[in-house]
Structures are given as structure tokens and as C-alpha cells.
Amino acid sequence: MIKTRICELIGIEYPIFQGGMAWVATGELAAAVSEAGGLGIIGSGQAPADWLKHEIQKIKKITSKPFGVNVMLMSPYVEDVMKVIVEERVSVITTGAGSPGKYIPMLKEVGTKIIPVVASVALAKRLEKAGVDALIAEGMESGGHVGEISTFPLVPQVVDAVSIPVIAAGGIVDGRGMLAALALGAEGVQMGTRFMCATECTISPKIKELILKAKDRDTVVTGRSTGHPVRCLTNRFTREFEKMEKEGVPPEELEKLGAGKLRIAMVEGDIENGSVMSGQVAGAVQKIESAHDIVQDVIQGAEREMERLSQRFMK
Ligand SMILES: Cc1cc2nc3c(=O)[nH]c(=O)nc-3n(C[C@H](O)[C@H](O)[C@H](O)COP(=O)(O)O)c2cc1C
């Protein structure tokens, strides 16, 4: 059985996180992943605190296991969102877009573990000093907002720079990927794209179909010129965005073009005009299946691979 410090820290059976994806990771998905023994995480994005409270209630009706909330530190509702997290005694928060520093004391008081997402060694070191419990090192293979470094070079450099546990994210889709992440020194994995195709994920079925059809080269990173690069599946929206970037359209205008596009993709199923955020592993996602089956496939696959490697190469 693969057990790491992350299992102990949070009280989960398997060190597998489902990424807290805005407009994708609702209470239904997070509850199913937590019930399956991983860590389900609600993606609170820019949603108001009432929405989050409602999603938390949903989870609590389905499972008594630990779950998390992803907090976008730039959200206009961040203060109220943090209050709900404290009131509801949420086990874990993951954070994106900056440092959760000023919220650490109030979260620690109620025992909430703080696990920020980082894309560089410098930020990882700074956040460890600030007192966070663990880190998610996310490579630019991932879906959504990305940094500049890939998972393979990023994870071992972060692992060597800090002593708290590190979870690898970006480009992990099965047991082989999980085992590779553990070999790089990670103590857990976070997957986003594969969980978008979980039965319990409430996004438009059109998006799931698109991921199932995707090939290895079907994603693109747009928005580097705005300072907020995002990886999505290529479609009319990304082609238009790329064209405008090449023409030198100012960042503010590009940001306006992108506003609200994730919602119209995920909720309304507009696969041409929406931003279909997805990782490079979209090409490897083969079917729609329950969160339980995904978690089992990844964990059993990792254990099987470990055995296979030792038989094949250890003489
Ligand atoms: C549609 C989508 C939305 C996402 N939204 C968020 C988000 O709101 N906050 C966050 O920290 N990460 C977000 N992510 C990143 C995931 O949580 C996760 O780290 C990433 O998907 C892992 O890489 P993978 O896609 O290769 O599995 C998003 C990813 C996707 C695909």
C-alpha cells in the first residue's frame, strides 16, 4: 500500500488529490473523490461565499471524510470565502494566485491544513517559511493557469528545496505517472483533467466528449502576453485569442475577451467560443468512469508498475 506523509497529515487513504477546478469541481465531484479515499477539492474560483457554503453542505450530506476547498486569492470574495472555510472547519485549503500568508493564523486555529500551488522553487521556499503544511508543485503540462516549468524539472527541485511534503501536479493521468511523481520525491499527486471525465463531474457532457476525442497535441497555452497564461483545448476561441496576441492587442483587451469564457464552456457546453481548460493528458483520458474507479485505477496502477519495474530492472 502506498502511504505517505500526506495521508497522515490529512487523514486520507490514498495520496491522490482532485484539483479544485473553478466551474468544474463542485460538491458532487469532490464528495465522490473523498468518499473514494482521495481528497476531493471544491473549486471556489471567483464564486461568492454563499455558493461555497451550499457546496460544502452537499459534501457533508454524502461523506464524512476529509475534503478541501481551492481558494483563488485574487477573488473579490476571498475574505468571506475564508470565513466560510473557518466556520465549516474545512480540512484542507489549496490556494492559487499568490500567498495565503495573512490567513494562515485563522486557518491554523481551526486545524485547516494549508497547501498552496507553486510553479517555482522561490515561491515554494517563501511559503514554507510562512508556515504552510505542504505544497503542490504544478508543471505547465496542466490544464488551467500555468507557470513556465514542466513537472519533471519542477518537482525534484521543489522537493530538494523544502522539507514539507510536496504533491506533484500537471501531466499525471494514471499509475505510471503517479509512480514517476513518487520517484521524483513527491508524496502525492493532484489530477485535474482526468477527473473532468468522472461520472460525478457536473460539467457539460460536450466537454467530456471533447476530452475523450482529444489527441496529445490538442492543447495550447494562450495569454502569455497578459502575464496570465492558460492551457486549453484548441478551438475558435483560442485561435481568435492567439491571433489577437500576435497582432499586439493590449493585455486589458485580451483579459476582457477571456472573461466569463470558462463558465460558458463548462456550464453551457459552448465548445467553440468557451475556454475549454484542459491539460496535455487530455489525449490519454480514455473513458468516463466513476471517481472511485479513477482513484483505484491510479493507485493500483502505481503499485503494479512498482512491482513491474523492480522485476524488470533489479537484478
Ligand atoms: C478546467 C480546469 C480548471 C482549473 N481551475 C483551477 C482553479 O480554479 N484553481 C487551481 O488552483 N487550479 C485549477 N486548475 C488546475 C487543477 O487544479 C490541477 O492542478 C491540474 O489540472 C493538474 O494538471 P492536469 O490537468 O494535467 O491533471 C484547473 C484545471 C482545469 C483543467
Side-chain angles (χ1 to χ4, degrees):
M1 283 283 281
I2 294 173
K3 291 278 173 206
T4 70
R5 283 189 293 171
I6 285 294
C7 301
E8 236 171 83
L9 180 73
I10 306 172
I12 53 177
E13 211 172 333
Y14 310 117
I16 299 176
F17 287 17
Q18 157 258 307
M21 300 170 275
W23 293 111
V24 173
T26 59
E28 287 87 348
L29 176 62
V33 176
S34 286
E35 190 54 22
L39 184 75
I41 304 176
I42 300 171
S44 72
Q46 309 240 7
D50 284 355
W51 178 87
L52 176 62
K53 209 172 174 100
H54 186 243
E55 298 305 302
I56 291 175
Q57 311 290 335
K58 275 192 211 164
I59 298 193
K60 287 185 171 173
K61 279 191 198 131
I62 301 173
T63 185
S64 54
K65 295 189 177 171
F67 65 89
V69 173
N70 176 259
V71 182
M72 272 271 288
L73 294 165
M74 273 162 21
S75 160
Y77 305 109
V78 63
E79 299 292 332
D80 291 339
V81 160
M82 288 293 189
K83 272 190 210 137
V84 168
I85 285 165
V86 167
E87 274 165 31
E88 298 288 335
R89 304 282 194 270
V90 172
S91 307
V92 177
I93 67 157
T94 62
T95 60
S99 165
K102 72 171 188 175
Y103 304 105
I104 291 178
M106 68 189 250
L107 293 165
K108 290 230 157 167
E109 210 169 292
V110 293
T112 300
K113 305 290 182 235
I114 305 139
I115 311 188
V117 180
V118 299
S120 74
V121 168
L123 185 58
K125 282 171 137 173
R126 190 149 64 84
L127 291 173
E128 181 181 44
K129 255 196 210 133
V132 305
D133 299 281
L135 293 163
I136 299 168
E138 187 189 66
M140 55 92 78
E141 298 92 326
S142 80
H145 290 267
V146 291
E148 285 297 337
I149 312 177
S150 310
T151 303
F152 245 77
L154 179 68
V155 170
Q157 292 188 73
V158 171
V159 166
D160 288 351
V162 299
S163 53
I164 51 178
V166 175
I167 292 123
I172 298 158
V173 73
D174 58 18
R176 291 171 297 183
M178 179 169 189
L179 188 59
L182 297 177
L184 296 177
E187 297 190 50
V189 294
Q190 169 161 293
M191 301 189 305
T193 303
R194 184 160 181 194
F195 280 117
M196 289 172 79
C197 285
T199 323
E200 296 88 347
C201 182
T202 57
I203 56 171
S204 162
K206 287 186 192 163
I207 301 290
K208 295 186 184 181
E209 274 169 40
L210 208 62
I211 293 176
L212 294 183
K213 274 195 217 136
K215 302 225 164 39
D216 52 348
R217 297 178 63 205
D218 285 351
T219 69
V220 65
V221 174
T222 56
R224 284 207 171 90
S225 66
T226 67
H228 299 116
V230 172
R231 183 179 297 284
C232 347
L233 287 173
T234 47
N235 61 2
R236 191 184 302 150
F237 167 72
T238 60
R239 284 189 290 275
E240 194 183 330
F241 203 104
E242 277 184 306
K243 185 165 160 270
M244 289 169 78
E245 275 194 289
K246 273 193 199 125
E247 286 166 357
V249 170
E252 315 78 63
E253 253 181 74
L254 290 169
E255 296 279 9
K256 260 190 228 153
L257 177 71
K261 293 297 195 299
L262 179 60
R263 192 191 67 79
I264 67 163
M266 301 302 161
V267 180
E268 293 172 18
D270 189 338
I271 56 174
E272 277 305 330
N273 304 302
S275 169
V276 187
M277 291 183 186
S278 160
Q280 290 180 328
V281 288
V285 179
Q286 305 293 344
K287 55 181 171 186
I288 296 170
E289 59 196 325
S290 69
H292 173 269
D293 287 355
I294 295 175
V295 169
Q296 284 303 318
D297 178 61
V298 173
I299 200 79
Q300 288 177 16
E303 287 169 356
R304 216 176 29 244
E305 277 305 300
M306 203 180 307
E307 185 59 30
R308 187 183 70 81
L309 287 184
S310 63
Q311 299 229 340
R312 185 163 171 204
F313 298 119
M314 300 298 283
K315 298 279 180 238

